[in-house]
Amino acid sequence: MLVTALIFGLLGSFHCIGMCGPIAFMLPLNRKNKFKQFLQVASYHLGRLFTYSLIGLLFGVLGKGFYFFGFQQVISIVVGVLMILFILLPEVFNRFKSFDFIQRKLMKIKSKLGKELAKKENDTFFTIGFLNGFLPCGLVYMALFGALATGNAFKGSLYMFLFGLGTVPLMTIVAYFGNFSNVYWRQKIQKAIPFVVVFVGVLFVLRGLGLGIPYVSPLEPVLTKTLEATVGCH
C-alpha cells in the first residue's frame, strides 16, 4: 500500500502546480551559483518532506489507536470509502474549506510564506517548504487517509514522506524553470487522477475486507485470530 503514496505524489504534483507551483517559482534562489541553487531547492523540498512526515506520524499514531482496539480493518474500509466519496461527492468536502477556522489558519500560513519569500537567509528555504506542507490540498488529504490506514506511526510517516517524494521531480522543474509544463498533458493527467483515487480507494476497501487475496486483500492478524477462534470452537 505504500506504493499508492508515491503514485499520489507523482500524479498530484500536476494538480498541485496551481497552488504550490507559484511558491516554488518565486523561491529567492541564487541564480548565479548553481551549487547554492541546488542546496536551496533541496532545503525547500526537505522542509516539505519534514512537514508531510510529521503529519503522517500523527495520523499513523491515530491509526495505531484504532489498530489497538481491533478497528484496523474497519478503518481501512472507511478510508477507502472516503476516498471514493471524495471523488463522487466533491462538493461535500469542499464545504470544509469555507470554515472560518481553516480560512484564518490559511491566511496566517500565506502571510508567513510571503515574509519568508522576501528573505534570503540560510534557513529561509527550509521554512518555506515547511509552511508549504501545511497548505490544503485534496491529494494531501487522500494521502493522509492512507497514513491513517497504516495503523503505525513509522509507516504513517513513511507514507507521507513517499507522497512528498513523488512531488519532488515536477516541483524541482518548476523551481528551476517556471511553470512551463504542457497544458494538454497536464489536463490529461488531472482527468486521470480521480480514477486513480477511486482505484486506490477500492484497494483499501479490499485490504480491509481481508479476503485472503495475496498482496491485495491478505488476511489481517485480527481477522485471522477471529477465524482461528471460530474454527477452534467447532
Side-chain angles (χ1 to χ4, degrees):
M1 300 306 294
L2 291 174
V3 177
T4 62
L6 199 59
I7 294 173
F8 277 145
L10 287 169
L11 294 179
S13 57
F14 286 88
H15 170 78
C16 296
I17 283 179
M19 177 172 286
C20 301
I23 296 174
F25 181 62
M26 291 173 62
L27 289 174
L29 300 174
N30 187 328
R31 303 287 178 178
K32 297 179 180 179
N33 189 316
K34 296 298 182 182
F35 181 69
K36 284 186 177 180
Q37 188 179 26
F38 169 79
L39 291 179
Q40 289 167 343
V41 173
S43 181
Y44 163 71
H45 287 314
L46 284 175
R48 290 194 308 116
L49 293 175
F50 179 77
T51 299
Y52 290 145
S53 299
L54 181 61
I55 299 175
L57 177 69
L58 296 176
F59 273 76
V61 170
L62 181 61
K64 186 175 179 63
F66 290 116
Y67 182 83
F68 180 78
F69 290 104
F71 297 138
Q72 177 64 12
Q73 289 174 257
V74 175
I75 288 299
S76 185
I77 294 173
V78 170
V79 163
V81 171
L82 285 175
M83 286 183 177
I84 296 171
L85 290 178
F86 188 90
I87 298 301
L88 299 180
L89 302 171
E91 64 279 359
V92 175
F93 291 88
N94 286 334
R95 292 179 183 176
F96 290 103
K97 296 181 180 179
S98 61
F99 288 171
D100 291 338
F101 172 78
I102 295 178
Q103 288 299 317
R104 288 197 300 270
K105 291 295 182 183
L106 184 57
M107 288 302 296
K108 287 184 178 180
I109 293 174
K110 287 184 176 181
S111 177
K112 291 181 179 179
L113 272 171
K115 292 178 181 179
E116 291 297 327
L117 285 169
K119 298 179 182 178
K120 291 186 178 181
E121 299 175 5
N122 293 331
D123 62 342
T124 295
F125 300 92
F126 182 88
T127 304
I128 292 174
F130 177 78
L131 293 172
N132 193 165
F134 286 106
L135 290 176
C137 172
L139 269 299
V140 173
Y141 300 153
M142 296 298 97
L144 287 175
F145 285 156
L148 177 68
T150 61
N152 181 288
F154 173 73
K155 287 184 178 180
S157 182
L158 179 60
Y159 195 95
M160 290 304 296
F161 176 84
L162 290 174
F163 167 78
L165 197 63
T167 67
V168 167
L170 189 57
M171 294 300 290
T172 299
I173 292 174
V174 172
Y176 272 100
F177 307 108
N179 185 8
F180 70 95
S181 56
N182 187 290
V183 176
Y184 173 79
W185 285 110
R186 198 170 77 190
Q187 290 177 342
K188 287 291 184 181
I189 292 174
Q190 286 180 342
K191 289 180 179 180
I193 290 176
F195 296 98
V196 175
V197 173
V198 171
F199 174 73
V200 174
V202 171
L203 283 180
F204 272 101
V205 171
L206 290 174
R207 176 174 176 255
L209 291 174
L211 302 176
I213 304 173
Y215 303 108
V216 177
S217 184
L219 287 173
E220 294 289 338
V222 175
L223 183 59
T224 303
K225 291 179 181 178
T226 303
L227 291 174
E228 290 175 349
T230 303
V231 174
C233 291
H234 293 286

